[in-house]
DNA sequence: CAGTATTAAGAGTATTTTATCTTAAATTAA
DNA sequence: TTAATTTAAGATAAAATACTCTTAATACTG
């Protein structure tokens, strides 16, 4: 079961990293983040660019540049982030991939799946970046030891 | 959010089809199934082969051959099927894709994600092929009208 | 037994996703 | 000004997933 795409996984990990590592500091260097998280610099850059364009982050060029939260990470839910990285139809697709499926033409799984989707939505909506970022030990976000 | 792979989607749709279409009949022709469900015959064949090998279906060659349930579809849960089509680690992966994540080295999402996984598991475990197959109108399983 | 419909297996192709690399422009600090 | 750093766009490559095609073996029907 692949809930999140790689860009989403990487994006969330980077944002959690930014919560703890970015405290006090001004901007956090992207190259450094990429190394600490074992993510390709260029790949991570693209992901973070989309989060900057979406208004979650602010960036600064030049020496001591990098990224930083545009608003309090407490006010950014995982759902906000995933809508950007996964697309707006994240959480609204038919389990069986049937195009016409919906409340008025439900597939056999539609109703019970709708219940799950609400729960998933609640989880992502009520989890903010600050809480997940604070609770994590940074080495946990790495891919290799 | 891609919960199921295409082979799983197709496999489940085919099994639901088999529940309604296969009642009374002996074997159901795979070529006919493929046409009714808008799935490539060869692709569907492979998926059904793995379900036959897993013991859910029996097949017969020659004229009037095809597939049929090896046991009552009431006794086959979606989870049984998905374990075969998605692999045994279906439902046990870290949301953030972190390799070491587990109860003893949890990632920031591990605990809340574990709760969701249990719910997903319950849904799939307590839904059997018979009930979803019976409740469906066949045209709902098609991709195009 | 002969013909044929079907399963079965695997090679091969296409598409999508993920990842890398290159180049250049813009911005900032010292 | 110079060096460091991000932004941006796009070419390319690698890997995973999805799909198709070919061939062979099997087993049923008449």
């Amino acid at each position: 079961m692949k809930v999140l795409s790689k860009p989403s996984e990487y994006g969330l990990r980077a944002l959690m990293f930014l919560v703890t590592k970015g405290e006090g500091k001004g901007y956090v260097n992207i190259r450094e983040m990429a190394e600490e998280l074992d993510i390709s610099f260029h790949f991570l850059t693209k992901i973070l660019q989309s989060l900057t364009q979406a208004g979650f982050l602010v960036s600064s060029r030049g020496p001591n540049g990098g990224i930083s939260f545009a608003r309090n990470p407490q006010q950014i839910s995982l759902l906000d982030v995933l809508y950007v990285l996964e697309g707006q139809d994240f959480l609204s697709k038919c389990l069986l991939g049937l195009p016409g499926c919906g409340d008025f033409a439900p597939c056999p799984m539609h109703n019970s799946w709708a219940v799950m989707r609400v729960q998933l939505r609640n989880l992502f909506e009520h989890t903010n970046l600050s809480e997940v970022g604070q609770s994590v030990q940074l080495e946990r976000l790495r891919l290799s030891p």
Side-chain angles (χ1 to χ4, degrees), chain A residues 95-115:
Chain A
L95 182 71
L96 299 176
L98 295 167
C101 177
D103 288 343
F104 297 106
C107 81
M109 288 301 291
H110 180 76
N111 291 323
S112 47
W113 186 239
V115 175

Side-chain angles (χ1 to χ4, degrees), chain A residues 7-50:
Chain A
S8 293
E9 287 180 11
Y10 294 176
L12 289 180
R13 281 168 54 211
L15 291 170
M16 290 172 189
F17 181 90
L18 190 60
V19 167
T20 41
K21 209 72 175 188
E23 274 186 335
K25 280 193 184 182
Y27 294 105
V28 171
N29 185 285
I30 296 183
R31 180 151 259 127
E32 192 188 321
M33 283 181 70
E35 270 166 31
E36 297 247 25
L37 296 171
D38 280 313
I39 302 174
S40 142
F41 167 73
H42 290 287
F43 199 38
L44 182 59
T45 287
K46 288 196 180 179
I47 297 164
L48 295 176
Q49 271 171 28
S50 65

Side-chain angles (χ1 to χ4, degrees), chain A residues 58-133:
Chain A
V58 286
S59 66
S60 168
R61 299 175 181 188
N64 304 325
I67 53 167
S68 164
F69 279 108
R71 48 190 164 106
N72 191 327
Q74 249 178 352
Q75 288 158 6
I76 305 175
S77 73
L78 297 196
L79 191 66
D80 294 331
V81 175
L82 293 176
Y83 271 158
V84 171
L85 297 177
E86 294 281 321
Q88 289 294 331
D89 60 352
F90 171 68
L91 283 184
S92 56
K93 283 177 227 150
C94 171
L95 182 71
L96 299 176
L98 295 167
C101 177
D103 288 343
F104 297 106
C107 81
M109 288 301 291
H110 180 76
N111 291 323
S112 47
W113 186 239
V115 175
M116 284 305 312
R117 283 204 310 246
V118 168
Q119 308 223 37
L120 284 163
R121 193 194 151 85
N122 281 339
L123 170 60
F124 293 130
E125 193 169 16
H126 296 128
T127 307
N128 67 64
L129 288 180
S130 180
E131 59 184 296
V132 281

Side-chain angles (χ1 to χ4, degrees), chain A residues 128-145:
Chain A
N128 67 64
L129 288 180
S130 180
E131 59 184 296
V132 281
Q134 304 247 331
S135 73
V136 68
Q137 292 168 270
L138 288 184
E139 20 347 326
R140 291 276 153 72
L141 293 175
R142 296 183 55 82
L143 245 48
S144 48

